Amino acid sequence: MPTASAPTTPRPAPLPSAWEGLVEAVLAHDGRVPELIGGLLARHPDDSRAHAVKGLMLVLLARAELVGEARRCLAVADRLATADDGAGAYRAALRAWLEGAPLAAARHLEARLAADPTDALAFKLAHQSRFMAGDVPGMLASAGRHGAAHAGLPTEGYVLGCLAFALEESGETARAEAVGRRAIALAPRDAWGRHAVAHCLEMTGRADEGAAWLSATTDTWRHCTNFSFHIYWHLALFHLDQGRTDAVLALYDTEIRATRADDYRDLANGASMLARLEFEGVDVGDRWEELAELSARRVDDRRLVFADLHYATALLGAGADADAEALAGRMLADAARGATHDARVAAAAGVAALEGLIAFHAGRYGEAARRLLAARPQLPQIGGSIAQRDLFEQMLIESLIRSGDLSRAETLLRERLVRRGGHNGFAARRLARLAGEGRPAGRVAALAMTMVAPAAAH
């Protein structure tokens, strides 16, 4: 006897080649993405999904001036919507982002995968949304749920690259490295997977291997957006761990800040690297000035705590304390309202971390240590990676040393060294200076002062 057929979910028409090219470009962090979106919309102006994707790309840039255009994209996408266009989840995700709910946006995009498990663009945008919202467990669960659908497809390597990154951020470094290397083998243009392996090498204290590996593969990320600058930032981290501050400054000038871009990720690369160099006693000259000039224009944005903390780092580095204080006031006001995900993150960790930054630059090291310690448990909520947030861990340790709390500093440094397999330049250099039992009070003060004084540039 005949059996009832299972209900089916409407599937969109076969994707045009222009769309397929856009999907691969987004997965590869290709610099042509804006051009490809424009071309797709020129060919298919009635494609609701393309308008929604453009809007999502705009909100992911975390720039206040782009919100209006993103809203217009949503309005057009809604007007063009049809029941079977496969775009409903994209529109819902864009609406959620505009309402300040990135995790809801990720859930909408992942719901799309129930209808089409191979929709790699929905998967990637959900992954990026969770990354910006600091949801590492969600990234890992999503990659675990949806990765199998891409086995044997051209998208498999890119999805594995996302899994590798989520594993590394979850502490599963050995598995992450193996998955990341497989991702690169399957998709050589997978800059995210290559970046995940760089994280693994950094987190396991293999600076020499990491520097050699990235130096030999620069041609594999030349196609990238500004993400290429971030991979050079990772190369600079390896050089910094090796104590090669001259190489770090060269990379800073020729790659990391070559374009003087004001994307928050580019400013974060620059500000965090200059701060790390100053922790090592390097005179960075007037490099803070251009970062601060660009960051001052973003004080009113208040789109992302991660971005704001790095804007503040740049402002404080250049001595623009009033702008940093204004940013802190805006963050505090948003935290009190708590109306969006970002405002809740500000309340949980952002305000305390920013107050810690301000106190550190004012020389109030005891207060800085207290505020940074208060922010520390919730700091993963600001998004970014462990390596990026390590700026605040290093500043905490510096604050403890400079305030004379050498015992607690030594504990954190030893924990840091153990986590990295016994190899970490930052920890090793400071432990060498803190070596010895029963340090007398006078020597404690002298040690603290030597760690404050800047050294000449290498």
Side-chain angles (χ1 to χ4, degrees):
M1 67 185 281
T3 58
S5 60
T8 60
T9 302
R11 295 285 297 273
L15 296 174
S17 59
W19 186 280
E20 293 171 342
L22 171 62
V23 171
E24 196 278 339
V26 172
L27 294 172
H29 292 258
D30 195 308
R32 299 172 302 144
V33 166
E35 171 192 339
L36 292 172
I37 291 178
L40 178 63
L41 286 169
R43 292 183 183 90
H44 304 279
D46 296 334
D47 189 330
S48 175
R49 185 165 22 172
H51 287 282
V53 168
K54 178 182 176 182
L56 282 165
M57 293 295 182
L58 292 173
V59 296
L60 291 173
L61 293 174
R63 298 172 72 97
E65 73 269 24
L66 298 180
V67 172
E69 179 60 24
R71 292 191 188 282
R72 285 189 286 274
C73 288
L74 179 58
V76 173
D78 282 343
R79 177 171 56 79
L80 296 172
T82 62
D84 60 351
D85 62 8
Y90 288 92
R91 293 192 298 271
L94 175 54
R95 187 172 292 106
W97 257 110
L98 288 168
E99 293 170 353
L103 295 179
R107 290 191 292 271
H108 286 304
L109 290 163
E110 288 162 351
R112 161 72 188 151
L113 298 174
D116 183 0
T118 65
D119 189 337
L121 185 58
F123 171 83
K124 178 70 172 179
L125 292 174
H127 180 83
Q128 192 167 353
S129 296
R130 292 191 183 279
F131 170 64
M132 291 176 67
D135 182 18
V136 171
M139 282 195 296
L140 185 58
S142 178
R145 282 195 306 271
H146 304 301
H150 297 267
L153 299 178
T155 53
E156 181 180 7
Y158 293 113
V159 174
L160 285 175
C162 292
L163 174 60
F165 180 76
L167 285 166
E168 183 276 324
E169 292 295 295
S170 301
E172 297 187 48
T173 314
R175 185 182 167 204
E177 183 177 347
V179 171
R181 290 186 182 275
R182 174 161 170 74
I184 296 163
L186 290 171
R189 279 165 46 85
D190 180 22
W192 192 250
R194 192 171 301 278
H195 145 271
V197 174
H199 275 268
C200 294
L201 296 173
E202 200 272 330
M203 288 297 139
T204 50
R206 293 145 68 191
D208 293 348
E209 183 181 347
W213 181 65
L214 285 183
S215 296
T217 59
T218 56
D219 60 325
T220 63
W221 69 77
R222 293 195 187 280
H223 65 276
C224 283
T225 58
N226 57 338
F227 190 55
S228 64
F229 307 146
H230 183 65
I231 301 180
Y232 276 112
W233 179 85
H234 276 281
L235 178 55
L237 281 186
F238 290 129
H239 289 327
L240 189 60
D241 195 66
Q242 295 169 319
R244 296 183 57 207
T245 56
D246 54 344
V248 175
L249 286 170
L251 276 178
Y252 183 95
D253 292 335
T254 61
E255 301 292 351
I256 296 170
R257 290 301 298 161
T259 69
R260 303 296 191 261
D262 70 343
D263 184 293
Y264 80 88
R265 293 160 295 190
D266 298 319
L267 293 172
N269 291 335
S272 64
M273 190 54 66
L274 292 186
R276 285 168 163 87
L277 283 164
E278 289 195 335
F279 293 158
E280 297 301 327
V282 176
D283 182 352
V284 301
D286 62 359
R287 291 177 177 87
W288 281 116
E289 305 305 321
E290 68 96 10
L291 293 179
E293 180 183 351
L294 296 172
S295 295
R297 302 173 190 172
R298 312 246 61 98
V299 166
D300 294 326
D301 275 12
R302 271 284 41 249
R303 304 293 301 168
L304 195 66
V305 167
F306 177 89
D308 287 343
L309 291 177
H310 287 88
Y311 297 151
T313 300
L315 293 166
L316 292 164
D321 296 9
D323 284 329
E325 292 280 3
L327 179 52
R330 287 170 175 79
M331 186 184 290
L332 183 61
D334 279 353
R337 285 190 288 269
T340 64
H341 174 86
D342 184 77
R344 292 187 289 275
V345 172
V351 170
L354 184 45
E355 290 174 346
L357 290 177
I358 291 170
F360 182 87
H361 282 273
R364 303 191 303 271
Y365 299 119
E367 179 187 345
R370 288 191 296 275
R371 300 309 290 150
L372 291 168
L373 278 168
R376 191 175 185 238
Q378 304 302 324
L379 204 59
Q381 293 185 37
I382 72 170
S385 66
I386 294 170
Q388 288 173 308
R389 294 190 303 273
D390 192 45
L391 167 66
F392 307 106
E393 185 76 1
Q394 291 188 19
M395 187 174 290
L396 167 60
I397 291 169
E398 286 290 305
S399 298
L400 291 169
I401 292 172
R402 297 182 190 194
S403 66
D405 192 348
L406 303 188
S407 178
R408 187 176 296 185
E410 184 173 347
T411 297
L412 293 181
L413 287 165
R414 293 197 182 282
E415 290 173 354
R416 179 187 184 88
L417 206 56
V418 168
R419 286 196 303 271
R420 288 164 172 79
H423 304 283
N424 178 251
F426 179 89
R429 287 186 287 271
R430 282 152 183 79
L431 285 170
R433 282 181 275 173
L434 294 173
E437 296 294 330
R439 294 178 291 268
R443 184 161 179 266
V444 167
L447 267 171
M449 288 305 297
T450 63
M451 293 186 176
V452 176
H458 291 239

